[in-house]
Amino acid sequence: VTANINQAGKRALFTFAGTTGNSRVMRITASTINGGYLVLQRPNGTARQSCYFGTGTTTCAATTLDATGTWTVVVDPISDNTGTGNVALT
């Protein structure tokens, strides 16, 4: 999916169904956002993992899901950064 953040202070959120014990890797490619964080949030809203990204491609370390339910991937630019990026979860 494409994250299109065209206003400072905004974030992009994408949800998926996850099961305890499954492994997932977050990735952003073709990013024009000059710095931010990819955050993997548990169904209860707490962060399970985050990693810094910049322009280009960033792949976060694999993480094992520790809850079953609807998880959220958050694209959270730093400060007033804007731009686009292709987000994948494998």
Side-chain angles (χ1 to χ4, degrees):
V1 295
T2 299
N4 182 10
I5 300 170
N6 56 14
Q7 187 176 21
K10 297 294 182 180
R11 304 178 305 160
L13 293 91
F14 305 99
T15 60
F16 69 97
T19 303
T20 300
N22 287 350
S23 180
R24 294 290 182 258
V25 174
M26 295 184 293
R27 178 177 297 114
I28 188 165
T29 61
S31 172
T32 63
I33 303 168
N34 193 22
Y37 289 92
L38 288 176
V39 181
L40 181 60
Q41 289 183 340
R42 294 177 177 95
N44 69 6
T46 61
R48 171 74 173 125
Q49 179 190 36
S50 68
C51 72
Y52 177 83
F53 72 90
T55 58
T57 297
T58 299
T59 301
C60 304
T63 191
T64 301
L65 304 183
D66 59 2
T68 296
T70 302
W71 287 71
T72 304
V73 175
V74 181
V75 181
D76 189 9
I78 295 172
S79 186
D80 61 352
N81 291 340
T82 60
T84 62
N86 299 318
V87 179
L89 185 70
T90 56

